[in-house]
């Protein structure tokens, strides 16, 4: 729900609640308290004369809807926007176009604002028609609407559109990538579901993982061998991908195939790719004469790329593996050895089919795949020197998180240079799979393009991923900084800026926090934690004081100071928590955005749940400036 509608939404919801609870006339004290609880209104420190008068009316059962509205407005009245309004209003009652323009330039740091900008804000947010059309003034109500609208969001609204250059080779972009896409939760014993692919695509993901295995009746399946999961048909998944591939983003989608099928079912999958995806599928027919670099996202709009290894080593531990008769050859021409059959059967559980093979037998992919693996051929990584001298521009590498971290510690600058030429994908370690996501910023810091996460696992990893890829219109492609796209010695572990940015974030207040009260806990101990995730010298966290309050409108007025060395790689994460010394803190809301998308001035921060869902109308009110 857009923030500019939150006031109207609150009014409609409030009137609906009042209409229901006042359906039999006036209400008594207990009913009033219950309704205030329903509306999440604070009910402590009620000490003004007007409040006492309203309570007296409740006691004498003469308390009607108008009285309740008055009491609710009194309980939820915010002072900080009104104080700000009075500071810039010429007469304390209205803001003129000149008043608003001065506010935009002085406090909002919008140097390009003009009278047309100010008039547009008045027309969009001022509720009084006469003020908009004739007087061209803004009241305090209109100003409050503006402060809680998307026009005043901390996220730069220019970045909600595609504004970055999309004509560079794909190696120059961070690409939103998914791992374990078929899972719809985070357990080792879980239901594989097509919904996982639909959900990831709707969230802007541009690289999906398909782990393919042999299935009965020559119907290949998707599932994960490390977990006790159900399986789904490859054909059904490809049909769903064909429908939803470009609903959120028009830029290329990469399908990462982990192939564990025999050549027969490989050919079936290849035919599905061609027949289901049709003209969306990139094949050798789309490649020009003798290309020398990867093509750009702009050139590959509405196209699907296949990434897969050329060879696959089969293990006798894989279930549903095909078998051949004695003397039959594999795709590489080597014969199976009958003498090894007993050795294979000795390690395979009962009920699983076996095959006869030599040790370390290798099978090439079915020839049908050779025409669709075009721009992203996966190859084994040996070392940076070998890749520099031998790796071709269309060949890419995959790294486990542990392998990638080891390379970062050994030579981060070489890793950056490697990723300026080739696509790199990182994935979580087997022990971590579907239990949590790693911190993706550590791999973005060295230029890894495809940092794969499980989109269905909430937490820090997905918060950072969501924040990273809401930039550039949420298209799933974010341009890497210029200093990462050249063969230069950039080391994220050692870099220190000559002129770092000193930023101050003042956490002013919170509004409509989703507080869950219980009979034993009617107050919350709320605090806001601000975390910076970037290069080593930038990664730091600070938090406000813990504020005990009974309502959902805490007022902190705390200022936090940060020193940013490389703003192009920094992400800013806000979390609001109910501090509990005896157990894990309850998350009341969170929000992450790129530092380069964070606007200066007075702004609202729309809060999200741990799953990334909007908690409308919950938000923070902050002021950001550079020292």
């Amino acid at each position: 729900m857009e923030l500019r509608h939150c006031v109207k939404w609150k009014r409609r919801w409030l009137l609906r609640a009042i209409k229901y609870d006042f359906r039999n006339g006036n209400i008594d004290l207990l009913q009033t308290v219950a309704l205030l609880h329903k509306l999440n209104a604070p009910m402590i420190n009620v000490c003004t004369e007007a409040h006492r008068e309203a309570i007296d009316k409740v006691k004498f059962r003469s308390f009607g809807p108008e009285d309740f509205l008055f009491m609710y407005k009194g309980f939820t009245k915010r002072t900080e926007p009104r104080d700000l309004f009075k500071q810039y209003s010429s007469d304390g009652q209205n803001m003129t176009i000149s008043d608003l323009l001065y506010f935009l330039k002085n406090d909002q740091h919008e140097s390009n604002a003009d009278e047309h900008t100010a008039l547009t804000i008045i027309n969009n947010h001022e509720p009084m028609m006469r003020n908009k059309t004739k007087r061209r003034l803004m009241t305090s109500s209109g100003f409050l609407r503006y402060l809680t609208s998307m026009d005043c969001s901390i996220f730069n609204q220019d970045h909600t559109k595609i504004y970055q250059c999309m004509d560079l080779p794909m190696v120059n972009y961070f690409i939103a990538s998914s791992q374990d896409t078929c899972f719809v939760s985070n357990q080792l014993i879980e239901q594989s579901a097509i919904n996982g692919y639909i959900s990831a695509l709707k969230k802007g993901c541009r690289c999906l993982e398909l782990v393919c295995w042999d299935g009965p009746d020559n119907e290949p399946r998707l599932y994960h061998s490390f977990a006790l999961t159900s399986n789904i048909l490859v054909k059904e998944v490809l049909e769903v991908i064909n429908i939803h591939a470009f609903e959120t983003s028009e830029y290329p989608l990469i399908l990462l195939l982990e192939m564990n099928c025999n050549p027969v079912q490989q050919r079936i999958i290849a035919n599905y790719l061609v027949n289901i995806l049709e003209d969306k599928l990139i094949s050798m027919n789309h490649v020009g004469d003798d290309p020398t670099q990867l093509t750009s996202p702009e050139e590959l709009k509405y196209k699907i790329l296949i990434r897969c290894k050329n060879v696959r080593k089969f293990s006798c531990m894989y279930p549903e593996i095909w078998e051949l008769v004695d003397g039959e050859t594999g795709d590489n021409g080597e014969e199976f050895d009958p003498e090894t059959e007993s050795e294979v059967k000795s390690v395979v559980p009962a009920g699983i089919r076996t095959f006869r093979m030599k040790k370390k037998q290798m099978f090439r992919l079915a020839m049908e795949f050779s025409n669709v693996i075009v721009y992203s051929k996966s190859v084994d990584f040996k070392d940076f020197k070998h890749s520099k001298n031998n790796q071709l521009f269309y060949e890419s590498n995959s790294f486990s998180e542990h392998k990638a971290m080891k390379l970062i510690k050994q030579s981060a600058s070489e890793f950056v240079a490697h990723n300026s030429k080739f696509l790199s994908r990182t994935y979580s370690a087997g022990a971590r799979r579907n239990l949590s996501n790693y911190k993706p910023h550590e791999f973005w810091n060295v230029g890894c393009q495809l940092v794969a996460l499980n989109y269905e696992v909430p937490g820090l990893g997905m918060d950072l991923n969501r924040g990273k890829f809401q930039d550039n219109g949420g298209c799933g492609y974010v341009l890497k900084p210029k200093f990462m796209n050249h063969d230069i010695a950039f080391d994220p572990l050692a870099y220190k800026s000559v002129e770092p940015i000193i930023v101050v974030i003042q956490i002013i207040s919170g509004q409509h926090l989703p507080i869950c009260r219980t009979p034993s806990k009617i107050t919350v101990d709320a605090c806001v934690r601000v975390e910076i995730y970037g290069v080593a010298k930038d990664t730091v966290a600070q938090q406000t004081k813990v504020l005990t309050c009974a309502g959902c409108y805490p007022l902190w007025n705390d200022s936090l100071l940060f020193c940013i060395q490389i703003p192009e790689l920094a992400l800013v994460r806000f979390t609001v928590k109910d501090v509990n010394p005896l157990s894990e803190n309850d998350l009341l809301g969170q929000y992450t955005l790129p530092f380069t998308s964070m606007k200066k001035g007075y702004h609202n921060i729309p809060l999200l749940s741990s799953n990334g869902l909007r908690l409308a109308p919950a938000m923070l009110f902050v002021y950001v400036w550079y020292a």
Side-chain angles (χ1 to χ4, degrees):
M1 183 182 298
E2 295 186 4
L3 290 179
R4 66 181 179 181
H5 297 312
C6 74
V7 176
K8 295 179 181 179
W9 173 85
K10 183 177 72 173
R11 183 182 295 111
R12 290 197 300 268
W13 189 55
L14 178 61
L15 292 175
R16 189 182 301 119
I18 291 175
K19 181 178 179 181
Y20 178 80
D21 284 273
F22 282 89
R23 62 192 182 281
N24 296 322
N26 296 336
I27 61 176
D28 59 20
L29 180 59
L30 290 178
Q31 289 173 309
T32 303
V33 171
L35 182 53
L36 288 172
H37 267 296
K38 184 190 300 183
L39 299 176
N40 210 17
M43 292 176 294
I44 206 165
N45 298 329
V46 182
C47 55
T48 67
E49 187 65 33
H51 289 153
R52 283 196 289 269
E53 182 180 336
I55 291 175
D56 288 338
K57 285 187 176 183
V58 173
K59 291 179 179 178
F60 290 103
R61 300 187 64 80
S62 58
F63 188 76
E66 295 79 10
D67 299 302
F68 182 85
L69 277 173
F70 175 78
M71 176 181 277
Y72 178 78
K73 288 179 179 179
F75 287 167
T76 59
K77 183 178 180 180
R78 294 175 54 193
T79 60
E80 66 279 8
R82 296 181 185 275
D83 293 340
L84 190 60
F85 174 83
K86 290 178 180 179
Q87 180 182 342
Y88 285 93
S89 171
S90 300
D91 59 5
Q93 300 297 319
N94 297 285
M95 263 190 181
T96 64
I97 289 180
S98 297
D99 294 337
L100 182 56
L101 186 57
Y102 182 76
F103 169 73
L104 293 175
K105 289 189 172 183
N106 186 62
D107 262 343
Q108 300 299 78
H109 304 279
E110 296 185 12
S111 57
N112 295 326
D114 54 20
E115 288 192 3
H116 176 73
T117 307
L119 185 59
T120 301
I121 292 175
I122 292 175
N123 288 335
N124 288 341
H125 304 291
E126 174 55 41
M128 296 181 64
M129 186 60 65
R130 184 165 175 264
N131 277 359
K132 288 197 291 188
T133 57
K134 294 184 178 181
R135 302 177 65 193
R136 303 208 299 182
L137 299 174
M138 175 176 273
T139 62
S140 60
S141 295
F143 187 65
L144 177 60
R145 288 189 179 190
Y146 163 67
L147 291 180
T148 56
S149 71
M150 290 300 291
D151 290 341
C152 203
S153 171
I154 194 171
F155 185 80
N156 189 335
Q157 294 304 288
D158 291 339
H159 294 186
T160 60
K161 307 177 184 66
I162 296 171
Y163 68 95
Q164 296 176 345
C165 174
M166 303 301 290
D167 294 321
L168 298 175
M170 287 180 63
V171 74
N172 294 281
Y173 299 86
F174 297 117
I175 305 172
S177 305
S178 172
Q179 177 181 344
D180 303 334
T181 317
C182 64
F183 281 135
V184 292
S185 188
N186 63 341
Q187 301 298 318
L188 290 176
I189 301 177
E190 195 51 69
Q191 190 77 11
S192 300
I194 290 179
N195 288 340
Y197 292 92
I198 298 175
S199 174
L201 289 170
K202 289 182 178 295
K203 293 173 182 176
C205 182
R206 296 287 84 196
C207 179
L208 301 177
E209 182 184 39
L210 286 76
V211 183
C212 305
W213 297 84
D214 290 336
D217 303 321
N218 275 334
E219 277 294 345
R221 306 296 175 109
L222 295 177
Y223 59 91
H224 282 271
S225 61
F226 70 89
L228 302 176
T229 64
S230 59
N231 56 71
I232 45 183
L233 296 177
V234 171
K235 179 181 179 181
E236 292 179 352
V237 172
L238 291 177
E239 289 172 345
V240 164
I241 290 173
N242 185 51
I243 295 171
H244 299 281
F246 302 105
E247 283 186 358
T248 300
S249 173
E250 61 191 4
Y251 290 102
L253 173 66
I254 301 171
L255 299 185
L256 171 64
L257 301 185
E258 182 179 320
M259 192 59 62
N260 303 292
C261 298
N262 66 61
V264 174
Q265 297 204 21
Q266 286 181 28
R267 295 186 181 100
I268 292 173
I269 294 175
N271 289 330
Y272 284 155
L273 290 170
V274 172
N275 296 327
I276 295 175
L277 302 181
E278 297 181 330
D279 59 344
K280 296 185 182 73
L281 184 66
I282 282 287
S283 66
M284 292 300 296
N285 300 329
H286 294 84
V287 180
D289 296 334
D290 197 21
T292 58
Q293 63 180 9
L294 291 177
T295 192
S296 70
E298 188 68 27
E299 294 176 280
L300 293 175
K301 277 185 175 179
Y302 303 107
K303 295 297 182 182
I304 296 177
L305 284 69
I306 305 301
R307 182 179 188 268
C308 189
K309 282 192 174 184
N310 268 23
V311 294
R312 174 74 197 181
K313 183 186 297 184
F314 282 79
S315 165
C316 60
M317 294 301 291
Y318 293 153
E320 301 295 332
I321 292 178
W322 66 307
E323 65 177 333
L324 294 173
V325 298
D326 294 351
E328 189 169 347
T329 61
D331 280 6
N332 63 353
E334 293 186 78
E335 292 188 359
F336 289 98
D337 185 358
E339 294 180 1
T340 63
E341 181 179 5
S342 59
E343 179 182 346
V344 171
K345 287 184 177 181
S346 66
V347 295
V348 176
I352 294 181
R353 291 186 295 166
T354 63
F355 59 90
R356 307 175 179 92
M357 59 173 286
K358 289 183 178 180
K359 292 182 180 180
K360 298 182 179 179
Q361 178 73 36
M362 304 285 283
F363 288 107
R364 296 192 178 278
L365 282 176
M367 290 300 295
E368 285 79 358
F369 276 104
S370 62
N371 193 45
V372 296
I373 302 175
V374 180
Y375 288 117
S376 187
K377 174 186 172 184
S378 180
V379 297
D380 291 330
F381 175 82
K382 294 182 179 179
D383 55 56
F384 292 124
K385 182 178 180 180
H386 179 272
S387 293
K388 184 176 181 179
N389 296 331
N390 298 281
Q391 194 163 322
L392 302 175
F393 71 90
Y394 58 84
E395 294 179 331
S396 59
N397 309 113
S398 289
F399 304 92
S400 70
E401 59 173 303
H402 297 318
K403 174 66 173 178
M405 285 303 301
K406 183 178 180 180
L407 292 172
I408 291 172
K409 293 176 181 178
Q410 289 175 347
S411 182
S413 60
E414 283 189 277
F415 211 164
V416 174
H418 174 86
N419 290 328
S420 69
K421 297 183 179 68
F422 312 110
L423 287 175
S424 291
R425 177 180 183 265
T426 64
Y427 57 91
S428 65
R432 178 196 290 273
R433 280 195 170 185
N434 282 359
L435 297 176
S436 65
N437 279 316
Y438 51 70
K439 297 176 183 177
H441 73 284
E442 296 177 316
F443 308 112
W444 291 326
N445 288 345
V446 292
C448 294
Q449 297 87 353
L450 302 163
V451 180
L453 300 175
N454 188 322
Y455 270 55
E456 299 303 318
V457 177
L460 173 60
M462 270 311 297
D463 290 350
L464 297 179
N465 193 77
R466 192 181 302 111
K468 182 81 168 181
F469 290 105
Q470 71 170 313
D471 195 5
N472 201 30
C475 71
Y477 285 79
V478 173
L479 187 63
K480 295 199 294 186
K482 289 183 179 179
F483 55 79
M484 303 187 81
N485 289 331
H486 302 284
D487 189 9
I488 58 176
F490 167 70
D491 189 344
L493 301 182
Y495 183 86
K496 187 174 182 180
S497 175
V498 178
E499 297 181 358
I501 296 176
I502 307 299
V503 60
V504 180
I505 303 177
Q506 182 184 2
I507 308 297
I508 300 174
S509 62
Q511 292 84 48
H512 304 285
L513 298 185
I515 295 171
C516 181
R517 296 189 183 90
T518 64
S520 60
K521 184 175 174 59
I522 61 173
T523 64
V524 294
D525 298 319
C527 77
V528 178
R529 181 178 173 88
V530 180
E531 303 161 346
I532 309 294
Y533 291 92
V535 297
K537 286 183 168 57
D538 287 344
T539 302
V540 67
Q542 296 183 45
Q543 74 177 41
T544 65
K545 60 178 174 285
V546 178
L547 191 66
T548 301
C549 56
C552 50
Y553 302 89
L555 184 64
W556 289 282
N557 273 326
D558 270 4
S559 295
L560 310 176
L561 186 145
F562 301 92
C563 177
I564 308 298
Q565 303 287 335
I566 306 181
E568 296 90 343
L569 292 174
L571 294 164
V572 187
R573 181 175 184 247
F574 298 84
T575 56
V576 188
K577 294 189 176 183
D578 180 6
V579 179
N580 191 333
L582 301 179
S583 63
E584 186 176 353
N585 297 337
D586 293 327
L587 179 68
L588 303 181
Q590 55 84 19
Y591 185 77
T592 306
L593 78 164
F595 182 86
T596 52
S597 296
M598 185 169 65
K599 296 188 69 175
K600 293 186 285 186
Y602 288 98
H603 295 287
N604 66 71
I605 299 176
L607 294 179
L608 311 177
S609 69
S610 60
N611 292 319
L613 301 177
R614 177 73 176 92
L615 296 172
M619 65 181 69
L620 295 176
F621 187 51
V622 302
Y623 182 64
V624 179
W625 78 95
Y626 296 163

